[in-house]
């Protein structure tokens, strides 16, 4: 019996080795142990598995199954394309680790909220005096009259490093982000980093707090654990959005439209004479008809193929393209499903569609969506990114959306799954209802059998009111 067990284990190991997926174990740009932040000084978060090796064929304990085998029978296989391979990791194994001890921290405080001044001061004093860290804050935070007039906070205030949004680039200077406020502070933190994002620790000091799992009461011990690298993280995917606009009235002149080698200049650079903007979006991209009274009418392309035309017939009519993180925001209000942040997907949700059959859909992460104004559209549309940077989209303009290479690593209180369901229960009151009262024993017996011992009513003919 022991020999059979040993031989069976050996066969299982051999089988596991033969079913290694080249998508997960091939040559990758970010191998095991490499940081995911693209910067010279690699004080970073690494999403490497905590315990088991990724080279073992094992069944995961969470959302995703094992990496699929890409050989089918003796002769068939999937053509490997390293540019399109997506590595799906077990969320339970995503743990925070530091290549070097973090030294600089960005503290983001909700503006115009007097109740956050005391927590902000306590946190900054703790970071500077107890942990000897460099603290970055936005310049307008220190212009608050309550901070300016506080003489006791003066020595700490003089040690701050300050920056201004849209003017100063701090992306290569921050090791850790701490947010004090609601979900908006996390969205704001995401907008400051258009490339790699440092790990984010968000304290719930705002209105909703779906994305901010930490309570501030015992912040010292929680911050210490994070600095020591003892925490789980959830990698919240972001959208890379590329907006291309025609420069109307500002055409770039090209002599004869032909370059020196006789090739049309437009073929060399299809965006000559156009304005190109790029954004990293954590929640959603919203395209709506704006103040116009006409129907919204936009074409949606997926990997270059027209999949549908979105028509809407109400004031906010349009379409939402969101991440799983954004599925519990505006998309949920428009009728979409709520998706866990670890699911690799992009959601397309119509807003007040003119067709009753247009339901929200989910497409794989990595596809490229392109949204343009339909040629027959009577009016323009407007686009916003996480509720910011709202701008008009006209005929000839385009909005291209795909999954970004730079997710936002959000630090968890417990783990990605438990934190998400806790947020559903606490913030959205998901599936909360008054429970049905149970039968008393004598009433239940009387309902099941009549006086002769026969069943009083079957499931198909029972006329009892289910609401009781």
């Amino acid at each position: 019996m022991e020999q059979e067990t040993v031989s069976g284990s050996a066969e299982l190991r051999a089988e596991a080795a033969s079913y290694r997926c080249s998508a997960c174990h091939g040559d990758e740009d970010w191998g095991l142990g490499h940081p995911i932040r693209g910067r010279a000084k690699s004080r970073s978060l690494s999403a490497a598995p905590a315990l088991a090796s990724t080279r073992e064929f094992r069944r995961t304990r969470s959302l995703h199954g094992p990496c699929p085998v890409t050989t089918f029978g003796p002769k068939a296989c999937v053509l490997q394309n390293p540019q399109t391979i997506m590595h799906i990791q077990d969320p339970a194994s995503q743990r925070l680790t530091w290549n070097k001890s973090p030294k600089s921290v960005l503290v983001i405080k909700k503006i115009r909220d007097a109740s956050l001044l005391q927590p902000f001061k306590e946190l900054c004093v703790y970071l500077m005096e107890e942990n000897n860290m460099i603290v970055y804050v936005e310049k307008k935070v220190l212009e608050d009259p309550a901070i300016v007039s506080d003489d006791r906070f003066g020595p700490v205030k003089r040690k701050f490093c300050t920056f201004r949004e849209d003017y100063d680039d701090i992306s290569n200077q921050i090791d850790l982000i701490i947010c004090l406020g609601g979900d908006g502070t996390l969205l704001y933190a995401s907008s400051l980093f258009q490339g790699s994002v440092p790990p984010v620790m968000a304290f719930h000091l705002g209105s909703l707090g779906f994305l901010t799992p930490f309570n501030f009461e015992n912040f010292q011990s929680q911050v210490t654990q994070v600095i020591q690298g003892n925490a789980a993280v959830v990698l919240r995917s972001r959208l890379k959005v590329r907006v291309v606009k025609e420069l109307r009235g500002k055409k770039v002149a090209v002599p004869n439209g032909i370059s020196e080698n006789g090739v049309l200049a437009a073929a060399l650079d299809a965006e000559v004479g156009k304005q190109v903007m790029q954004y990293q979006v954590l929640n959603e991209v919203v395209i709506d008809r704006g103040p116009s009274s006409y129907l919204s009418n936009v074409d949606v392309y997926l990997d270059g193929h027209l999949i549908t035309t979105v028509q809407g017939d109400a004031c906010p009519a349009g379409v939402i393209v969101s991440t799983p993180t954004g599925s519990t925001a505006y998309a949920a209000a428009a009728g979409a499903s709520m998706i866990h942040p670890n699911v690799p997907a992009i959601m397309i949700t119509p807003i007040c569609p003119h067709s009753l059959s247009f339901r929200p859909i989910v497409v794989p992460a990595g596809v490229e969506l392109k949204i343009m104004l339909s040629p027959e559209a009577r009016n323009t549309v407007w686009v916003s990114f996480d509720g910011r940077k709202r701008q008009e989209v006209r005929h000839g303009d385009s909005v291209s959306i795909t999954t970004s290479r730079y997710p936002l690593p959000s630090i968890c209180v417990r783990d990605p799954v438990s934190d998400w369901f806790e947020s559903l229960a606490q913030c959205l009151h998901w599936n909360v209802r008054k429970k049905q009262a149970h039968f008393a024993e004598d009433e239940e017996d009387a309902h099941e059998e009549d006086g002769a011992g026969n069943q009083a009513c079957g499931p198909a003919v029972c006329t009892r009111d289910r609401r009781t």
Side-chain angles (χ1 to χ4, degrees):
M1 190 67 180
E2 292 180 357
Q3 292 179 354
E4 292 179 1
T5 304
V6 172
S7 62
S9 300
E11 292 176 0
L12 182 61
R13 286 194 298 268
E15 183 181 2
S18 65
Y19 279 92
R20 283 173 49 193
C21 175
S22 58
C24 295
H25 308 288
D27 296 333
E28 295 180 10
D29 293 335
W30 56 280
L32 181 62
H34 288 249
I36 65 170
R37 291 178 63 188
R39 48 181 285 189
K41 296 180 180 180
S42 56
R43 304 167 184 166
S44 64
L45 175 146
S46 174
L51 300 175
S53 170
T54 55
R55 294 184 180 274
E56 296 179 4
F57 182 81
R58 66 187 183 91
R59 186 178 181 85
T60 59
R61 296 178 291 101
S62 53
L63 295 178
H64 302 299
C67 204
V69 176
T70 55
T71 57
F72 314 104
K75 295 184 178 179
C77 66
V78 171
L79 179 64
Q80 299 299 327
N81 183 355
Q83 300 300 321
T84 60
I85 288 173
M86 177 174 295
H87 182 88
I88 299 176
Q89 183 179 323
D90 180 1
S93 67
Q94 293 173 180
R95 305 290 299 182
L96 174 66
T97 182
W98 300 98
N99 295 327
K100 293 184 179 180
S101 179
K103 295 298 182 183
S104 59
V105 57
L106 169 63
V107 177
I108 298 178
K109 184 185 79 70
K110 184 179 179 182
I111 305 297
R112 296 185 297 274
D113 192 339
S115 65
L116 296 184
L117 291 176
Q118 189 59 31
F120 171 74
K121 295 175 183 179
E122 293 178 8
L123 175 64
C124 293
V125 170
Y126 176 76
L127 292 172
M128 289 183 177
E129 297 183 356
E130 299 294 332
N131 294 278
N132 195 27
M133 300 186 75
I134 302 172
V135 178
Y136 285 77
V137 297
E138 194 172 7
K139 189 174 183 180
K140 61 183 178 182
V141 171
L142 301 183
E143 297 172 355
D144 192 303
I147 294 180
V148 174
S149 60
D150 190 347
D151 296 333
R152 293 179 298 177
F153 195 62
V156 177
K157 184 174 64 176
R158 286 190 288 269
K159 297 180 182 179
F160 282 126
C161 294
T162 60
F163 72 97
R164 296 173 299 168
E165 184 186 7
D166 297 331
Y167 287 94
D168 301 319
D169 183 13
I170 59 172
S171 58
N172 290 327
Q173 303 173 27
I174 304 300
D175 299 322
L176 173 67
I177 303 173
I178 298 180
C179 296
L180 303 177
D183 294 345
T185 58
L186 189 65
L187 295 174
Y188 176 68
S190 174
S191 68
L192 294 175
F193 295 85
Q194 294 300 299
S196 181
V197 187
V200 182
M201 184 179 188
F203 286 94
H204 173 40
L205 292 168
S207 302
L208 184 61
F210 193 89
L211 307 178
T212 54
F214 286 91
N215 293 320
F216 195 76
E217 285 75 13
N218 54 345
F219 75 93
Q220 294 94 338
S221 61
Q222 293 174 329
V223 171
T224 300
Q225 286 185 355
V226 170
I227 293 175
Q228 294 174 351
N230 182 21
V233 291
V234 54
L235 302 182
R236 298 185 178 275
S237 64
R238 297 196 295 175
L239 299 176
K240 182 179 74 172
V241 186
R242 198 163 181 266
V243 181
V244 180
K245 291 187 174 183
E246 291 187 354
L247 294 177
R248 296 166 181 84
K250 298 181 181 179
K251 298 293 184 181
V252 178
V254 179
N256 298 324
I258 299 178
S259 62
E260 295 180 355
N261 58 2
V263 181
L264 288 176
L268 294 176
D269 187 356
E271 295 173 357
V272 170
K274 295 186 178 182
Q275 180 185 13
V276 180
M277 295 162 287
Q278 188 163 301
Y279 305 94
Q280 298 283 334
V281 177
L282 179 60
N283 259 358
E284 73 275 303
V285 179
V286 178
I287 298 174
D288 61 86
R289 76 179 191 181
S292 173
S293 60
Y294 296 110
L295 291 174
S296 64
N297 201 332
V298 295
D299 293 336
V300 179
Y301 296 83
L302 192 148
D303 288 340
H305 301 281
L306 178 66
I307 58 173
T308 190
T309 296
V310 180
Q311 288 186 322
D313 192 18
C315 183
V319 63
I320 305 169
V321 180
S322 62
T323 63
T325 295
S327 68
T328 53
Y330 193 10
S337 298
M338 295 182 288
I339 300 180
H340 189 277
N342 274 110
V343 178
I346 299 176
M347 302 181 62
I348 304 174
T349 306
I351 310 172
C352 302
H354 204 247
S355 170
L356 296 179
S357 62
F358 190 176
R359 309 305 301 164
I361 60 174
V362 179
V363 297
V367 302
E368 184 179 29
L369 298 171
K370 188 173 184 179
I371 300 177
M372 301 180 66
L373 199 62
S374 299
E376 63 273 13
R378 295 183 177 182
N379 62 297
T380 61
V381 293
W382 292 76
V383 61
S384 61
F385 315 95
D386 283 341
R388 297 161 57 91
K389 310 291 185 182
R390 184 172 170 84
Q391 53 195 271
E392 191 174 15
V393 176
R394 302 182 178 183
H395 285 95
D397 301 342
S398 65
V399 180
S400 298
I401 305 169
T402 189
T403 302
S404 172
R405 294 175 54 242
Y406 304 105
L408 184 142
S410 179
I411 300 174
C412 304
V413 173
R414 289 189 294 175
D415 59 78
V417 177
S418 298
D419 282 14
W420 190 69
F421 279 101
E422 181 70 18
S423 297
L424 288 181
Q426 296 295 327
C427 300
L428 300 185
H429 304 290
W430 178 63
N431 201 30
V432 174
R433 63 180 295 273
K434 188 176 181 179
K435 293 186 178 180
Q436 186 180 39
H438 68 281
F439 283 131
E441 292 184 2
D442 54 347
E443 183 181 356
E444 185 175 4
D445 294 340
H447 177 62
E448 290 179 353
E449 295 184 357
D450 58 14
N454 299 321
Q455 187 174 356
C457 57
V461 297
C462 184
T463 58
R464 293 178 61 89
D465 189 349
R466 295 185 62 198
R467 292 172 294 179
T468 60

